[in-house]
Amino acid sequence: MKKIFSIVLCFSLSLLLPSCKRKKLTEVVEVPLPSAEEKITIGQPDDVSAIDGQFSLVKLPYEYNALSPSIDILTMEMHYSKHYLTYTNNLNKLVAEDPTLIDLSIEDILKKCDGTNADLKNNAGGYYNHGLFWEGMSPKSGGQPKDTLASLITRDFGSFEVFKTQFSDAADKQFGSGWAWLVVDKTGKLQVTSTPNQDNPLMPKQIVSGTPLLNLDVWEHAYYLDYQYKRKRYIDNFFKIINWKKVSERYEEATAKK
Ligand code: MN3
């Protein structure tokens, strides 16, 4: 930084003082090339596996590059093979240490996440939220939902466009890290909400409770490499890759249980 400053200063002074050594302006600043170890290599989703335990990774139903240009290959690889893997491994370690969690489904574990165990809440949430997120997206999808889900969105929001605006606002206005959600509540009504951190609408003490149908990760790690601060553009492009068929299946499953 000092060097840049002195070059700029020298250049400025050189305009006034001919004695200043102009040759410094032509100095070449060498930028080291990445070493072999630092070279970026993109693996395959199938190369990633969690430590042995109660929970395994949700298989990514497409390649890392499949959602481009909405989500770039490097973001997908880092997100799945690093962030998601870490939540999964941490959850498996926590479950192994706590006999009250053995053999519980992830949904039942989430229902116990009232905040008294922050580690469990963060990692169980991180595991569930990302698994839902991967399967809620698909290449060559987007558009609008069909049939039952389409009419329910019109019934509960007024129109698809109103729903889209509400969901986008929830994602955009979530302060800091968190998620936007479309849920079906216990009365069968669709609702949009957002949660901070790795919280989700299955956990106790949430503003909106319900069964998640669709979610969007707005942690910076989900978009920053490609979009930097432009979260809104990331949200707009997410709508091009929503797997509405999967969202409809989730609605059918959630309401069939009741
Ligand atoms: Mn994430």
Side-chain angles (χ1 to χ4, degrees):
M1 196 62 194
K2 273 185 181 168
K3 195 169 186 178
I4 295 169
F5 179 73
S6 67
I7 290 170
V8 171
L9 182 65
C10 184
F11 177 73
S12 309
L13 287 174
S14 73
L15 299 174
L16 303 170
L17 306 169
S19 60
C20 189
K21 292 177 184 172
R22 283 173 188 251
K23 71 176 185 182
K24 279 197 171 183
L25 294 172
T26 61
E27 274 183 4
V28 174
V29 178
E30 195 177 342
V31 179
L33 292 169
S35 67
E37 293 75 31
E38 290 170 330
K39 187 171 156 289
I40 294 169
T41 52
I42 304 287
Q44 295 292 322
D46 285 349
D47 298 341
V48 188
S49 56
I51 58 170
D52 279 344
Q54 199 156 313
F55 298 99
S56 48
L57 298 173
V58 166
K59 189 173 156 46
L60 200 66
Y62 37 76
E63 297 294 316
Y64 289 137
N65 64 355
L67 304 179
S68 177
S70 288
I71 303 181
D72 68 286
I73 184 171
L74 191 56
T75 298
M76 281 303 301
E77 200 232 9
M78 299 292 278
H79 205 172
Y80 185 80
S81 70
K82 301 291 190 292
H83 296 271
Y84 176 49
L85 178 65
T86 303
Y87 289 120
T88 308
N89 285 342
N90 287 346
L91 174 62
N92 278 334
K93 285 179 205 160
L94 290 167
V95 169
E97 290 163 4
D98 185 343
T100 68
L101 303 175
I102 300 289
D103 294 335
L104 289 188
S105 68
I106 185 63
E107 288 84 356
D108 285 338
I109 290 177
L110 292 170
K111 285 171 190 163
K112 290 163 143 307
C113 291
D114 58 3
T116 50
N117 183 341
D119 261 2
L120 181 66
K121 190 182 189 189
N122 291 337
N123 290 292
Y127 173 74
Y128 174 88
N129 298 351
H130 286 91
L132 196 92
F133 182 52
W134 310 136
E135 294 186 331
M137 300 183 287
S138 172
K140 294 175 191 155
S141 50
Q144 295 193 14
K146 292 177 183 158
D147 307 325
T148 309
L149 188 61
S151 44
L152 291 169
I153 283 177
T154 304
R155 183 195 70 186
D156 293 338
F157 297 99
S159 70
F160 179 78
E161 287 309 314
V162 173
F163 154 74
K164 186 176 175 181
T165 302
Q166 278 192 28
F167 188 92
S168 298
D169 282 354
D172 192 33
K173 290 174 183 167
Q174 171 55 43
F175 183 76
S177 300
W179 295 79
W181 302 89
L182 171 67
V183 304
V184 54
D185 71 16
K186 62 182 179 194
T187 70
K189 186 174 187 283
L190 301 183
Q191 292 204 56
V192 161
T193 187
S194 64
T195 56
N197 306 315
Q198 295 295 354
D199 290 12
N200 70 46
L202 291 173
M203 293 175 179
K205 303 178 191 171
Q206 299 298 314
I207 295 167
V208 172
S209 297
T211 305
L213 305 179
L214 174 71
N215 64 349
L216 174 58
D217 191 340
V218 292
W219 282 59
E220 285 188 345
H221 67 232
Y223 64 89
Y224 208 85
L225 282 177
D226 198 23
Y227 293 93
Q228 293 87 45
Y229 60 92
K230 296 167 216 147
R231 188 192 279 193
K232 187 75 175 66
R233 192 173 295 173
Y234 161 67
I235 297 164
D236 288 344
N237 286 335
F238 171 70
F239 272 84
K240 297 174 185 166
I241 50 170
I242 295 175
N243 184 350
W244 285 114
K245 187 165 172 283
K246 186 71 189 175
V247 179
S248 292
E249 286 169 18
R250 286 178 183 150
Y251 174 81
E252 298 300 336
E253 280 167 31
T255 48
K257 283 179 195 163
K258 292 181 172 128

